[in-house]
Amino acid sequence: MTKLKLSAIPDDKPVKITVELPAAVFRDLQAYAAILAKANGEAASPEPGKLIVPMIQRFMASDRAFSKTKRQENAPVQR
C-alpha cells in the first residue's frame, strides 16, 4: 500500500442547524451587531445570525477547561 503524506481529509462541510433563542438574547445580538458596525465604521449592521459562529468559536477558544479536556482526550495512547 502506498504511504502518502496526507491522511484522510476531514469533512469540513458546514452543518446547518436551527436554534431557538430567547427574545432577549436576540435583541442583545441585534444590539451587539449595531455596536460592532459602529465601532468598525460600517454603515449597516451585520445580520445578527452571522455573529453566532464567531462568538461560539471565541467562547470555546477561551474556555481553558474545555481546551485542556479536549487535548487530553485527543492525546495519543502511550504504550
Side-chain angles (χ1 to χ4, degrees), residues 1 17 21 23-24 32 37 39 43-44 47 55 59 61 67:
M1 188 149 115
I17 63 171
L21 300 174
Y32 196 101
E47 179 186 332
M55 286 179 158
F59 174 80
S67 296

Side-chain angles (χ1 to χ4, degrees), residues 11-75:
D11 182 9
D12 281 348
K13 183 178 176 183
V15 177
K16 185 172 268 197
I17 63 171
T18 302
V19 179
E20 288 187 27
L21 300 174
V25 172
F26 184 71
R27 285 190 298 270
D28 283 345
L29 271 176
Q30 289 175 312
Y32 196 101
I35 294 167
L36 181 64
K38 187 175 181 180
N40 292 330
E42 298 171 358
S45 299
E47 179 186 332
K50 298 280 186 185
L51 301 176
I52 296 171
V53 171
M55 286 179 158
I56 292 172
Q57 288 173 327
R58 276 271 162 100
F59 174 80
M60 288 191 299
S62 66
D63 187 322
R64 291 182 181 177
F66 171 71
S67 296
K68 181 180 177 183
T69 304
K70 185 178 173 187
R71 276 193 311 274
Q72 290 172 346
E73 290 182 0
N74 290 332

